[in-house]
Amino acid sequence: QTIADVLTNLGPSIAPQLQKGLQSENGLVRVGAATALYRIDPKQYRDRALPVLMAALKADDETAADAAQALESIGADAAPALPELLRQLAHDDPAVRCQVGHALAALKGDANTTRLQTALQQATPLQKVGIAYALAKQKPDAMAAWKETLAEGLRNASPEVRQQAVWAVGQLGPAGKPLARDLVQVLSKLNPDPREYFFGGGRLGRLSFDPSLALVALGPEVKEALSEALESEDPRTRLMAGIALVRIDPSTSTLVAPIFQQARQETNQALRMVAEMNAAPTAPGATQDIDALIQRSEEHTSELQSHSDLVCRLLLEKK
């Protein structure tokens, strides 16, 4: 997509080369060329670009994900791709499913919204999560209409469906607050191991399945639900809720610290790893005290050095 942006900025003069790129054997080249052509002149090249991007949704995983991201950037003009996007919501690769969800959310307009609502009736559980996310993203004020569909996704027996529902909640951000307790209730069924998260790495990216980050994205108003979760008998629930709580409010570090300590003693390797990677930060007041101690220590060291220098000079003079 970055390369497509650069090509777009080169202007209409490169359109002939981009049209040749549409025939490339490399799927990513076809997607980039189609994206750049559309951006250079949407009216002239829309009918050339869209078929290429729609076909790319059925290509290899990387090409399909990139094609979905390109269709997202096209927005409502990509309406002809809606049927294929809906099919790809059940794709085996999570990156493709996420990018397709973003593309569907970008298909704003009453006609597209109606088509999504109709598709929801016959969709598979994975597709339902993606469709409900797209509808909620399009109209956050109507979140209540899609809340139960996403909550069902969180409770689904399939780990893939649960994972996709976690992604949807995180991507909705504050609009997903009504799902906070639903997410907390299923933390015991979710894997806290960061290796399970696609492009997680401690931040809420476009493709993140990290339950703790999803909870953080909902905003400070979920603190009560997280505080209650700290009393859970399930170590996964306590740890992930603790991570989210201390990220939202660092002043809770004293409250959360024992939970991190317990997790470091767990036999579950994933819990130990997550606890080590997310050590509770020191409370602001304690940080100031430590800084003061460090400063006093440095001053004391400086004084000792001065005394030592003086003693050395006296000994040399005496010698």
Side-chain angles (χ1 to χ4, degrees):
Q1 293 302 308
T2 303
I3 293 172
D5 288 339
V6 174
L7 292 171
T8 301
N9 291 333
L10 295 178
S13 64
I14 65 164
Q17 293 166 275
L18 292 174
Q19 292 188 66
K20 290 181 181 179
L22 298 179
Q23 310 302 321
S24 173
E25 294 182 0
N26 186 309
L28 293 175
V29 173
R30 295 195 302 273
V31 169
T35 306
L37 272 174
Y38 175 84
R39 292 177 184 173
I40 286 172
D41 191 337
K43 290 183 178 180
Q44 182 176 352
Y45 296 115
R46 176 178 179 272
D47 292 340
R48 293 290 307 278
L50 278 183
V52 173
L53 295 175
M54 291 162 61
L57 289 172
K58 294 179 281 188
D60 62 273
D61 296 350
E62 189 176 4
T63 299
D66 207 43
Q69 192 172 358
L71 290 166
E72 177 193 5
S73 70
I74 291 174
D77 236 8
L82 192 146
E84 188 58 42
L85 286 169
L86 289 172
R87 281 190 285 272
Q88 296 305 328
L89 279 175
H91 199 283
D92 291 338
D93 187 81
V96 176
R97 295 198 300 266
C98 293
Q99 298 290 21
V100 167
H102 288 299
L104 287 171
L107 288 177
K108 297 181 180 180
D110 292 340
N112 290 327
T113 299
T114 300
R115 293 170 73 187
L116 286 171
Q117 291 172 338
T118 302
L120 190 62
Q121 308 306 315
Q122 304 297 325
T124 67
L126 264 177
Q127 290 170 321
K128 284 183 178 180
V129 170
I131 294 170
Y133 161 76
L135 289 167
K137 194 72 173 177
Q138 288 179 0
K139 296 184 178 180
D141 293 341
M143 177 64 201
W146 321 116
K147 175 186 180 298
E148 188 52 35
T149 301
L150 292 170
E152 287 177 2
L154 289 171
R155 298 189 294 267
N156 194 279
S158 165
E160 273 192 332
V161 177
R162 293 199 300 267
Q163 184 186 56
Q164 202 68 24
V166 170
W167 165 82
V169 172
Q171 297 302 307
L172 285 172
K177 283 184 292 188
L179 287 156
R181 292 189 183 277
D182 295 281
L183 179 50
V184 167
Q185 288 174 4
V186 299
L187 288 178
S188 62
K189 298 179 180 179
L190 301 173
N191 193 338
D193 189 337
R195 292 172 295 185
E196 293 290 315
Y197 311 143
F198 198 88
F199 291 167
R203 62 184 181 83
L204 188 74
R206 290 168 55 87
L207 312 178
S208 174
F209 301 116
D210 187 327
S212 297
L213 291 177
L215 286 164
V216 172
L218 301 183
E221 293 180 24
V222 304
K223 285 170 58 177
E224 182 179 350
L226 295 175
S227 296
E228 293 172 1
L230 298 184
E231 305 298 323
S232 170
E233 295 181 0
D234 177 69
R236 291 188 184 191
T237 299
R238 292 196 302 270
L239 179 59
M240 287 189 276
I243 292 171
L245 183 60
V246 82
R247 285 182 176 176
I248 292 173
D249 183 0
S251 69
T252 61
S253 59
T254 303
L255 179 66
V256 173
I259 292 172
F260 281 81
Q261 185 60 37
Q262 288 175 354
R264 294 190 189 101
Q265 311 304 319
E266 287 284 342
T267 56
N268 184 306
Q269 183 181 4
L271 289 175
R272 294 200 308 273
M273 180 187 299
V274 174
E276 292 295 340
M277 292 176 63
N278 294 276
T282 309
T287 301
Q288 294 173 3
D289 292 340
I290 291 173
D291 290 342
L293 284 171
I294 291 174
Q295 184 176 355
R296 285 199 295 272
S297 175
E298 289 175 347
E299 291 172 353
H300 183 59
T301 301
S302 178
E303 290 176 1
L304 288 175
Q305 184 63 49
S306 298
H307 289 311
S308 176
D309 291 344
L310 177 60
V311 170
C312 287
R313 284 199 301 271
L314 290 173
L315 288 172
L316 287 171
E317 288 174 1
K318 184 177 181 181
K319 185 177 179 180

